[in-house]
Amino acid sequence: MADIDYEVISASEFEKRTRGKGRGRRSRYTDLGKEAERLKENQVIAMTGSKNQVVSVRNFFKRNYGDDFQVRSVAGDGDTYEIYVQRAGK
């Protein structure tokens, strides 16, 4: 069996080598995630959307941020929901 060639590189070199080499697809919620990263503890992002969007926003934050953010929703008028994103309490 052949030996495996490898090298140890810095995290910045890793970022440099992999930048732009993803699947080429960006989530429609990427900008929302970046905005959420800038939230202070006493701030909340508020928006309205469909039930589908509530699920999509929840999944996006769970997949990309784990338990760092809380996504809550409240039924609004008709088929719309109020969606709130805030930093999770520690």
Side-chain angles (χ1 to χ4, degrees):
M1 182 176 221
D3 289 336
I4 298 173
D5 287 334
Y6 68 91
E7 62 183 313
V8 177
I9 60 174
S10 67
S12 61
E13 178 66 18
F14 165 75
E15 291 296 325
K16 181 178 157 188
R17 290 183 186 187
T18 59
R19 187 175 301 126
K21 294 184 179 178
R23 295 186 313 195
R25 185 169 180 266
R26 177 183 131 115
S27 170
R28 69 171 36 167
Y29 301 108
T30 299
D31 291 336
L32 180 62
K34 288 180 182 179
E35 188 66 35
E37 289 174 3
R38 293 189 285 267
L39 283 177
K40 296 181 176 128
E41 281 190 39
N42 61 347
Q43 294 178 316
V44 177
I45 295 174
M47 67 194 106
T48 59
S50 67
K51 185 175 185 176
N52 245 6
Q53 288 171 315
V54 171
V55 172
S56 294
V57 169
R58 278 198 177 113
N59 288 341
F60 172 81
F61 278 96
K62 192 65 159 173
R63 181 175 52 250
N64 292 288
Y65 297 98
D67 294 328
D68 292 345
F69 291 94
Q70 254 181 345
V71 177
R72 295 184 179 174
S73 62
V74 177
D77 296 330
D79 292 336
T80 63
Y81 288 80
E82 297 172 14
I83 306 167
Y84 302 98
V85 179
Q86 70 185 69
R87 288 197 173 278
K90 298 292 180 192

